[in-house]
């Protein structure tokens, strides 16, 4: 029997506001999940939140509440964003869930042959709650660029995972494609990063320096650091180890990760799985960052942060899903500006697609009393579309849909159904010809709607309902009415 499908997204840390990078994770996973479901597959789709660590404890203390109460208040922000981007997830995991914590302790015990106690000394950033290498510290002149604070020398007792035990095996798995890293240039980057082997990784901290986390089994003085706790979520959410159904979904078919966390997912995580004797994920899909205006990094201090909620509230969910699936390449960085977004909205959504749907519906009403007539199947060759999904290049798949949208518009411009309609009284062939032309348009529109299911489910639904009943009773509401908030004439300043 074919294994059921499983796709995962990274679990964000709940201390901040959800951002566009999180939205991109959920969107990409959702596009894949909808595509697979449309093709008859059962898909588990995991999302969740990472809820332990010092930053959480500090924020809770600031608010005068305990960390659990704090995370209870924070995690719905992330859930709200997942729902807002239309992510049809099946499982939501919180690392403070009881089952997860128990499973993580079990995992630690299974990994014991690869765990040793040692002293960790190194450069530490409080903001990151992480140690940095000498090289990284040197490159940034001793100050963390993200937190603007100097790194500190810190030394403490830690447990270490002997990741180095698995260096050869992980390299082989990546090179052979047993665990694919997509795109290829990220795979090369990672293989280069580990050319001297994987460094062992600290997986616990003394309780005095990490209060909020899962206890290390059999050592009350140590608390698990993020890795074993957070990375395990991809397995524990399926019920690992005690509920056998986890085996119907694992190994994950696709794990969606941002480029900044690839090394943890391609290094530490497979080492844990190999230590557990559990199969490696089949593919790590690495997406890039969304930059603003020609490659600038989004930053709160610069004030150029794009809030996905704002895009969706102003232009609608499908417009958001459209831009971020097509104009942000699935496997690389992509750029957003309000002008670019609005131009894509007005030209590609309003003109190309919205206008096409309206044109065909209105011609049916005007020339055939709304009766659709015979509809041949759409004729678009779908091999490029499916191949793009196979390669996890969703932007290429939706590009292909737009080729079809544009060629159908061109067909209408060339055939000029309105001229055929003028000949109805004088030419007996005109009426059947017109009906054939409009049937062709509807068939292709329905095919476009099918291909848009993973990307723009609501728009796809409108096209289906408009044409599938056989009679178009009234012109559909305009899809994507034109907007000029960021392009066109500047808003006039009212006179004082
Ligand atoms: Zn930092």
């Amino acid at each position: 029997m074919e294994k059921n499908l499983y796709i995962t997204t990274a679990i964000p840390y709940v201390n901040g506001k959800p951002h566009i990078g999180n939205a991109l994770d959920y969107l990409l996973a959702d596009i894949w999940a909808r595509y697979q479901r449309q093709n008859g597959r059962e898909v588990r789709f995991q999302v969740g939140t990472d809820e332990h660590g010092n930053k959480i404890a500090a924020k809770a203390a600031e608010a005068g509440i305990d960390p659990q109460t704090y995370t209870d208040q924070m995690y719905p922000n992330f859930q709200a964003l997942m729902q807002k981007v239309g992510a049809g997830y099946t499982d939501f995991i919180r690392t403070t869930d009881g089952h997860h914590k128990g499973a993580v302790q079990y995992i630690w015990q299974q990994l014991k042959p690869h765990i040793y106690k040692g002293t960790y000394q190194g450069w530490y950033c409080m903001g990151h709650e992480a140690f940095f290498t000498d090289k990284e510290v040197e490159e940034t002149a001793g100050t963390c660029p993200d937190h603007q604070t100097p790194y500190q020398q810190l030394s403490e007792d830690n447990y270490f995972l002997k990741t180095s035990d698995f260096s050869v095996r992980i390299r082989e798995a990546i090179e052979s494609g047993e665990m694919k890293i997509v795109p290829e240039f990220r795979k090369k980057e990672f293989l280069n990063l580990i050319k001297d082997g994987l460094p062992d990784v600290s997986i616990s901290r003394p309780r005095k320096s990490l209060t909020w986390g899962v206890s290390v089994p059999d050592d009350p003085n140590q608390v698990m650091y993020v890795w074993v706790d957070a990375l395990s979520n991809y397995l524990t959410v399926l019920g690992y180890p005690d509920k056998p159904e986890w085996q119907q979904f694992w190994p994950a078919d696709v794990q969606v990760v941002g480029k900044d966390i690839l090394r943890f997912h391609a290094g530490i995580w497979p080492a844990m799985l190999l230590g557990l004797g559990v199969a490696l994920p089949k593919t790590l899909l690495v997406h890039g960052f969304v930059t603003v205006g020609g490659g600038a990094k989004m930053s709160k201090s610069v004030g150029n942060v794009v809030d996905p909620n704002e895009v969706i509230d102003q232009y609608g969910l499908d417009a958001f899903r459209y831009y971020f699936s097509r104009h942000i390449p699935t496997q690389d960085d992509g750029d957003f500006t309000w002008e670019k977004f609005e131009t894509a909205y007005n030209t590609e959504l309003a003109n190309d697609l919205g206008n096409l749907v309206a044109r065909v519906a209105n011609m049916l009403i005007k020339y055939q009393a709304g009766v659709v007539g015979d509809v041949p199947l759409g004729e678009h060759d779908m091999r490029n579309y499916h191949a793009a999904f196979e390669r996890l290049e969703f932007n290429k798949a939706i590009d292909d849909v737009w080729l079809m949208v544009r060629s159908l518009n061109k067909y209408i411009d060339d055939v000029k159904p309105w001229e055929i309609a003028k000949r109805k009284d004088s030419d007996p062939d005109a009426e059947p010809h017109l009906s054939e032309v409009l049937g062709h348009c509807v068939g292709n529109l329905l095919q476009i709607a099918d291909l848009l299911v993973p990307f723009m489910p609501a728009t796809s639904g409108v096209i289906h309902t408009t044409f599938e009943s056989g009679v178009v009773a009234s012109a559909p509401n305009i899809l994507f009415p034109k907007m000029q908030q960021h392009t066109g004439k500047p808003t006039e300043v009212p006179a004082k």
Side-chain angles (χ1 to χ4, degrees):
M1 203 187 87
E2 212 173 3
K3 184 188 82 67
N4 288 321
L5 299 179
Y6 181 38
I7 188 161
T8 73
T9 57
I11 53 171
Y13 206 45
V14 287
N15 70 328
K17 261 180 79 176
H19 54 73
I20 202 93
N22 307 129
L24 202 55
D25 263 33
Y26 309 143
L27 176 63
L28 295 178
D30 186 64
I31 288 168
W32 188 85
R34 283 180 196 269
Y35 172 78
Q36 299 296 346
R37 287 180 186 137
Q38 189 186 15
N39 288 287
R41 303 298 301 273
E42 183 175 341
V43 184
R44 287 273 286 261
F45 171 4
Q46 158 282 7
V47 292
T49 41
D50 177 10
E51 304 193 351
H52 289 126
N54 281 341
K55 277 185 275 184
I56 301 285
K59 287 273 185 159
E62 243 172 67
I65 50 180
D66 65 280
Q68 185 64 59
T69 308
Y70 174 77
T71 62
D72 289 347
Q73 290 173 3
M74 293 300 284
Y75 91 89
N77 297 335
F78 290 85
Q79 205 168 33
L81 179 66
M82 293 161 197
Q83 284 160 2
K84 193 142 185 171
V85 303
Y89 60 85
T90 56
D91 297 85
F92 189 107
I93 185 164
R94 303 176 59 192
T95 56
T96 51
D97 288 344
H99 176 268
H100 174 77
K101 289 191 283 187
V104 162
Q105 290 189 314
Y106 169 88
I107 288 169
W108 181 287
Q109 265 156 339
Q110 300 306 300
L111 291 175
K112 266 189 175 171
H114 306 285
I115 292 175
Y116 63 94
K117 202 168 190 176
T119 305
Y120 195 98
Q121 177 156 20
W123 294 106
Y124 190 78
C125 169
M126 291 301 272
H128 271 95
E129 291 182 24
F131 285 97
F132 287 80
T133 62
D134 288 344
K135 192 169 168 240
E136 284 166 322
V137 171
E138 216 171 275
E139 279 169 357
T140 53
T143 298
C144 170
D146 294 339
H147 296 100
Q148 298 297 324
T149 50
Y151 300 101
Q152 304 170 357
Q153 270 292 317
L154 202 74
S155 154
E156 61 181 27
D157 278 351
N158 282 189
Y159 285 104
F160 287 79
L161 180 65
K162 216 158 172 276
T163 326
S164 52
D165 282 352
F166 304 103
S167 291
V168 173
R169 181 67 181 77
I170 289 172
R171 170 177 284 280
E172 278 171 9
I174 294 170
E175 282 172 344
S176 71
E178 177 189 351
M179 180 177 81
K180 282 194 213 110
I181 297 177
V182 172
E184 183 73 15
F185 75 93
R186 296 278 174 225
K187 167 179 144 182
K188 287 193 179 133
E189 256 172 36
F190 183 74
L191 286 172
N192 187 48
L193 187 73
I194 63 162
K195 63 180 187 301
D196 303 321
L198 285 162
D200 290 348
V201 58
S202 159
I203 53 169
S204 79
R205 303 204 53 206
R207 186 172 294 280
K208 61 174 167 42
S209 35
L210 177 59
T211 51
W212 178 239
V214 181
S215 297
V216 169
D218 310 321
D219 187 341
N221 294 319
Q222 291 276 322
V223 173
M224 288 186 205
Y225 184 59
V226 61
W227 308 125
V228 176
D229 177 10
L231 291 167
S232 298
N233 91 84
Y234 303 122
L235 262 186
T236 66
V237 71
L238 296 175
Y240 180 88
D242 47 314
K243 297 180 189 131
E245 62 262 30
W246 72 269
Q247 300 181 63
Q248 294 168 20
F249 293 91
W250 192 263
D253 296 274
V254 181
Q255 297 207 257
V256 179
V257 296
K259 64 180 182 182
D260 53 330
I261 55 172
L262 171 65
R263 55 187 173 144
F264 314 129
H265 285 78
I268 304 171
W269 174 226
M272 286 168 56
L273 291 166
L274 292 167
L276 293 171
V278 169
L280 300 178
K282 292 184 186 173
T283 306
L284 301 177
L285 168 59
V286 189
H287 67 76
F289 289 156
V290 179
T291 57
V292 190
K297 212 180 155 184
M298 267 187 222
S299 124
K300 271 182 216 160
S301 52
V302 178
N304 63 353
V305 175
V306 177
D307 180 353
N309 292 292
E310 206 180 325
V311 181
I312 296 168
D313 290 342
Q314 288 184 29
Y315 296 86
L317 174 55
D318 275 9
F320 170 86
R321 292 177 62 106
Y322 172 79
Y323 188 87
F324 284 88
S325 56
R326 184 164 185 217
H327 292 282
I328 306 294
T330 313
Q331 303 179 0
D332 208 344
D333 293 344
D335 201 52
F336 178 95
T337 64
W338 285 104
E339 289 75 16
K340 276 185 194 172
F341 176 84
E342 199 169 85
T343 301
Y345 176 94
N346 284 327
T347 57
E348 296 157 16
L349 292 177
N351 276 349
D352 292 349
L353 181 63
N355 194 31
L356 174 63
V357 171
R359 265 174 124 177
V360 174
N362 288 324
M363 287 191 292
L364 283 166
I365 292 168
K366 192 166 171 194
Y367 305 137
Q368 300 186 168
V371 176
V372 175
D374 286 342
V375 177
L377 288 176
E379 288 153 6
H380 185 68
D381 178 349
M382 296 195 289
R383 277 176 299 183
N384 283 341
Y385 174 90
H386 291 303
F389 262 101
E390 246 346 92
R391 296 192 312 272
L392 305 174
E393 287 189 286
F394 308 147
N395 56 307
K396 299 277 169 67
I398 191 168
D399 277 349
D400 194 56
V401 183
W402 245 258
L403 283 181
M404 208 183 156
V405 169
R406 294 216 159 121
S407 82
L408 188 54
N409 271 315
K410 185 170 184 303
Y411 170 82
I412 295 172
D413 293 342
D414 291 347
V415 174
K416 301 185 175 60
W418 48 92
E419 308 234 311
I420 305 174
K422 279 187 206 155
R423 296 199 299 270
K424 264 191 190 174
D425 294 333
S426 58
D427 177 358
D429 289 340
E431 196 167 316
H433 184 203
L434 184 58
S435 172
E436 194 187 317
V437 165
L438 294 180
H440 172 86
C441 293
V442 172
N444 281 281
L445 267 179
L446 290 175
Q447 190 182 10
I448 287 167
D450 288 341
L451 300 180
L452 285 179
V453 163
F455 298 97
M456 300 161 73
T459 304
S460 165
V462 169
I463 299 173
H464 276 127
T465 36
T466 302
F467 298 104
E468 247 167 16
S469 74
V471 181
V472 181
S474 58
N477 288 336
I478 294 172
L479 286 169
F480 311 109
K482 291 233 173 161
M483 303 266 252
Q484 301 238 295
Q485 263 137 278
H486 298 273
T487 53
K489 285 180 191 165
T491 329
E492 276 177 47
V493 182
K496 281 190 185 145

